[in-house]
Amino acid sequence: GIGTLAGTEQIPCGDGVVLIRSDTGGWVHLDTGDIAAVEHPDTAATAVLDALWSRGVLAVDGATAFGSMELSDGIARTQDTNMLVLLLNEGCNLVCNYCYLGHASPLRSTAMPDHVAVKAMEEACNHPAPKLLIDFGEIAVAEPQLRRLVPIAEDIADARGKHLSMSVQTNGTTLTDDLADFLADHGISVGLSIDGPEHLHDAARTFRSGLGSHGMARAAFERCRERGISVHIPVTVAAHNVNHPDLVLGEIAGLGPGSFLLKPVLPHGEAAEGWEDAGISVTGFSEFMTSAVAFAAQRDLEILDTTARKFLYRFVGDRRGWGDSCTSRQCGTGRFLQVIDRHGDQHGCPRFVGVPAASGLLQIGRAADRAASISPNLRQPPPSCDGCAWLRSCGGGCTLAGGGVDVPLPDPHCMAHDAVHAALVREVLPRVLNGDLNGRLMHGLRTVHLA
């Protein structure tokens, strides 16, 4: 048949290029000796043609090896964990200038009643997934509730035969030795917010008095490390730290958490009201993320953040990248993820509580309707994704971030996703291809396409 490479693009990678086909996501790495042959596939050696075909790059008579292959089934096989997020208290003891939940004081009236939490946990066990992850949300002002609910969660999961894991989020200001002992005793992992070194962190994350929280957050991290508690660090990238990626990443690298996530500030809540002071541009975030990938490539691939790592895994066909499918239209919201507030209403995502795109809140007890909380239309990539070389590994971006109620809109951070992919190919993929995969999280990485 007639072969064609139409719809492919070349991206510099090490001593050669990565040739990637936008409609299949298929790619192949070529050294300088192969490039000339690729430009004339009708005269290329059979081995080269076979490689181009098997990798989904070459189309013959309009067909490719990947055809119209859908990833949905393959992704579904990686999703064996149902995640329940409980927002135990809508109040907080900090007044971070970018908070999307607001600055309510922590009162009894802002707390989730125990019976709501118990009902949510019982219902979460009805999900067919064999594993259940319960995240109790921000616990800085909800420690008594946490201590009451954890043993109940263990009993419920045990009675229903679920493999239970638990996590909490915290600003670290109330994570005492006694609380750390409790978390360690129950095998609870911790998400601990740190935005960089002290002067950057404390520019945004303060008490109502204006006192910064960095020292307490660092102390909380050390308490967790001493007890072998797994710590994930979410880093909010906003006006206070966006121009200092080296300082932010240096702080995180020095701590050495189990994982960390660089997430952009959202124009919601306090940040929406003070966007001029707290907000950042898409270009600014893209440049920050590019610097983050370069930092990890030069220093240690172990300090790739969660998003970059997911994209890398997906790009090379490693199923670990699709485990929760966040940053993808195949996300778990409404299917493998339920977020419950103090009223018992369900939200689309912890980061989009109350945002119009996550509307259609559901009362506990209506489990059959949960999938309808997110319009099926939003599962489809927007038209702007057509022809994007990264669509297979990106998945079209966040389901909710575009703000569409029924029409899929572009993820506003599409430029950043594009920048991360390009940086991974330019900075990290040469090391992967050379087998430079030392490190716990890089172990087992394979350069094959997800099938």
Side-chain angles (χ1 to χ4, degrees):
I2 300 175
T4 176
L5 295 172
T8 61
E9 59 181 276
Q10 294 185 13
I11 303 167
C13 177
D15 294 332
V17 299
V18 163
L19 191 67
I20 181 169
R21 189 180 185 96
S22 61
D23 58 345
T24 67
W27 64 273
V28 64
H29 179 261
L30 304 170
D31 60 30
T32 53
D34 293 325
I35 295 175
V38 168
E39 293 173 347
H40 303 283
D42 55 323
T43 61
T46 301
V48 175
L49 291 175
D50 285 345
L52 294 175
W53 167 259
S54 65
R55 300 286 294 179
V57 177
L58 179 67
V60 178
D61 293 333
T64 69
F66 295 166
S68 59
M69 181 184 68
E70 294 294 336
L71 297 183
S72 299
D73 290 342
I75 292 170
R77 288 195 294 271
T78 72
Q79 297 178 325
D80 61 355
T81 302
N82 183 40
M83 181 176 182
L84 172 67
V85 179
L86 300 175
L87 306 179
L88 295 185
N89 201 305
E90 294 178 2
C92 188
N93 60 339
L94 295 187
V95 287
C96 304
N97 68 0
Y98 53 68
C99 182
Y100 47 87
L101 293 178
H103 290 162
S105 296
L107 305 171
R108 182 182 296 273
S109 61
T110 61
M112 175 182 288
D114 284 2
H115 74 271
V116 172
V118 172
K119 179 65 175 177
M121 292 189 292
E122 290 175 339
E123 192 167 291
C125 286
N126 293 329
H127 194 283
K131 300 178 182 178
L132 173 63
L133 168 60
I134 299 178
D135 188 313
F136 293 94
E138 174 62 67
I139 59 145
V141 297
E143 181 179 344
Q145 294 166 280
L146 176 73
R147 289 179 179 270
R148 292 194 303 269
L149 292 172
V150 164
I152 297 174
E154 293 170 333
D155 290 342
I156 291 174
D158 183 62
R160 301 291 290 275
K162 297 291 183 179
H163 178 79
L164 175 67
S165 56
M166 294 178 285
S167 61
V168 297
Q169 308 302 313
T170 181
N171 55 40
T173 59
T174 61
L175 206 162
T176 62
D177 284 330
D178 187 53
L179 178 54
D181 288 339
F182 176 84
L183 298 174
D185 289 343
H186 291 273
I188 301 174
S189 61
V190 172
L192 176 62
S193 297
I194 298 178
D195 283 0
E198 183 175 11
H199 70 286
L200 295 180
H201 178 102
D202 288 350
R205 304 185 60 81
T206 67
F207 290 90
R208 287 174 173 79
S209 66
L211 180 68
S213 59
H214 181 266
M216 294 180 177
R218 285 290 301 256
F221 181 88
E222 293 302 327
R223 291 188 179 100
C224 291
R225 194 210 307 263
E226 291 168 0
R227 293 163 176 79
I229 297 172
S230 175
V231 179
H232 169 77
I233 295 182
V235 179
T236 299
V237 181
H240 65 301
N241 59 4
V242 69
N243 295 321
H244 305 284
D246 53 338
L247 297 179
V248 173
L249 293 163
E251 173 86 354
I252 301 303
L255 291 170
S259 61
F260 73 102
L261 172 65
L262 300 169
K263 54 191 180 83
V265 60
L266 298 176
H268 307 307
E270 301 300 322
E273 297 178 11
W275 191 251
E276 185 175 339
D277 295 324
I280 57 175
S281 68
V282 174
T283 300
F285 184 59
S286 299
E287 293 173 349
F288 186 99
M289 293 301 292
T290 298
S291 295
V293 174
F295 184 95
Q298 294 164 11
R299 185 161 175 174
D300 186 348
L301 292 184
E302 291 294 294
I303 52 176
L304 280 173
D305 94 306
T306 299
T307 296
R309 193 181 301 275
K310 283 179 183 177
F311 287 156
L312 177 62
Y313 283 161
R314 295 174 188 176
F315 185 61
V316 301
D318 190 311
R319 60 187 288 123
R320 287 175 291 179
W322 293 105
D324 61 9
S325 295
C326 192
T327 316
S328 168
R329 301 284 159 162
Q330 295 290 339
C331 72
T333 185
R335 300 185 294 193
F336 291 87
L337 169 66
Q338 295 84 41
V339 182
I340 307 297
D341 68 16
R342 64 186 177 92
H343 302 292
D345 290 334
Q346 178 179 319
H347 300 257
C349 172
R351 295 202 77 200
F352 293 94
V353 174
V355 176
S359 62
L361 307 184
L362 305 175
Q363 290 294 325
I364 290 176
R366 294 167 56 189
D369 294 336
R370 281 186 169 170
S373 62
I374 300 300
S375 167
N377 293 336
L378 296 183
R379 301 290 183 188
Q380 303 301 316
S384 59
C385 290
D386 292 347
C388 176
W390 314 121
L391 181 56
R392 285 280 174 167
S393 51
C394 173
C398 175
T399 316
L400 301 175
V405 175
D406 194 52
V407 177
L409 298 178
D411 185 327
H413 299 106
C414 175
M415 181 186 293
H417 300 334
D418 181 85
V420 170
H421 277 90
L424 286 170
V425 170
R426 183 175 59 252
E427 305 280 353
V428 177
L429 191 58
R431 293 182 59 179
V432 174
L433 295 171
N434 288 332
D436 183 9
L437 302 174
N438 294 327
R440 174 176 54 87
L441 295 177
M442 289 289 106
H443 178 70
L445 200 61
R446 295 291 184 268
T447 53
V448 295
H449 197 282
L450 179 65

